[in-house]
Amino acid sequence: TRHALFAEEWHLYRKDMQIIAGRCTISGMICPVRKDVKGIKLAVPLFLALVFHPAPLKSGQAADLNRAGVELYNAGRFDEGAEKFMEALEMDPSLDEVKRNLARTWAVQGHEQLSHGNLGKAFELVESAIDTWDEDPFSHFLLAAIHLRRSDLHGARREADRSLELDESFFPARELAGDIYYRDGELDRAIAEWDAAGDGLPGRRGALDGKISRARRELDAESGFGRD
């Protein structure tokens, strides 16, 4: 059914990868690695969840805590990294760079929870990320995905739009926007978003073309029904 067609596929991609300390890198992205039931390693891409290369803060304890948080994040120790960022913000709540780092850490954790189907925990983490820093397209993309999984199309569209407002070239959000339009029966708009997403996600081109072909067949069937 249209309701369930793309419920799982948007965040699972099989790719060649390099395993580093229990993680993997894909085109500069860091993502967790898990195994499916056949033991095949799957990557759950985090898109913009890149290794942090923050601009140096002024010397001081808050800067040291931020630096420690970055190192823990890069080691995949997200809970500990978040604690360091929160400690730094307690010392100086004005540090936007640390807010961004904390928000991205929570968003990454939210993505991991979402990939395992833990929607409630994913929602809490992503909401915390957005409350901390509202200008990350990745966080709004994740919240849109959570709303879509909950069949809240209005919320999903709002957050996908916000993600693309922040970065119109954030192509994962374009694919997700296409999924939302498809679920809402707006097939022409879904096709347009999927086609645009394919320009920036060459590795997804085949899957996106498959979605486009299915939607076009449905449009043709609807047109034929109308003529009869």
Side-chain angles (χ1 to χ4, degrees):
T1 66
R2 180 173 296 168
H3 178 82
L5 180 61
F6 304 121
E8 298 295 335
E9 74 166 22
W10 68 267
H11 62 277
L12 288 179
Y13 300 80
R14 189 182 304 269
K15 290 181 180 277
D16 295 331
M17 65 189 74
Q18 180 182 6
I19 307 301
I20 302 175
R23 297 173 293 150
C24 67
T25 59
I26 301 176
S27 301
M29 295 182 291
I30 286 189
C31 50
V33 176
R34 60 192 179 91
K35 295 182 179 180
D36 66 11
V37 292
K38 298 180 181 179
I40 300 173
K41 290 179 177 176
L42 297 176
V44 184
L46 300 182
F47 301 110
L48 291 184
L50 302 175
V51 178
F52 290 134
H53 295 292
L57 295 177
K58 295 180 180 178
S59 60
Q61 194 168 358
D64 292 339
L65 287 167
N66 181 61
R67 192 174 301 109
V70 168
E71 291 174 357
L72 288 163
Y73 174 94
N74 290 342
R77 295 160 62 182
F78 301 125
D79 285 333
E80 296 171 79
E83 288 178 5
K84 295 298 183 184
F85 296 138
M86 286 188 286
E87 289 178 33
L89 287 173
E90 286 178 4
M91 293 183 173
D92 188 346
S94 69
L95 296 174
D96 285 346
E97 176 188 307
V98 182
K99 292 178 185 177
R100 287 193 295 268
N101 288 350
L102 176 59
R104 178 53 60 83
T105 302
W106 279 334
V108 167
Q109 290 178 299
H111 182 279
E112 179 65 4
Q113 292 295 324
L114 178 59
S115 72
H116 291 291
N118 301 326
L119 298 186
K121 186 61 175 177
F123 180 82
E124 291 176 10
L125 286 162
V126 175
E127 279 276 282
S128 294
I130 291 173
D131 287 345
T132 301
W133 187 258
D134 183 52
E135 298 181 15
D136 186 354
F138 177 65
S139 295
H140 289 280
F141 160 76
L142 288 177
L143 190 54
I146 293 167
H147 284 311
L148 182 59
R149 293 282 291 274
R150 289 176 162 176
S151 297
D152 177 3
L153 298 184
H154 176 76
R157 185 176 296 195
R158 181 188 66 242
E159 295 302 325
D161 287 346
R162 175 61 174 156
S163 179
L164 290 168
E165 176 187 339
L166 291 166
D167 183 356
E168 64 181 11
S169 64
F170 185 41
F171 294 103
R174 291 221 169 272
E175 178 175 1
L176 188 60
D179 294 353
I180 296 164
Y181 286 129
Y182 180 85
R183 285 271 298 274
D184 213 17
E186 298 185 51
L187 302 186
D188 285 324
R189 297 186 74 176
I191 289 169
E193 291 291 356
W194 288 332
D195 190 49
D199 293 338
L201 298 171
R204 294 285 295 153
R205 185 77 257 186
L208 288 163
D209 285 345
K211 292 182 180 184
I212 290 169
S213 295
R214 182 184 179 106
R216 283 177 174 159
R217 288 195 300 271
E218 291 185 22
L219 279 173
D220 290 343
E222 290 174 3
S223 298
F225 179 80
R227 288 193 296 271
D228 293 340

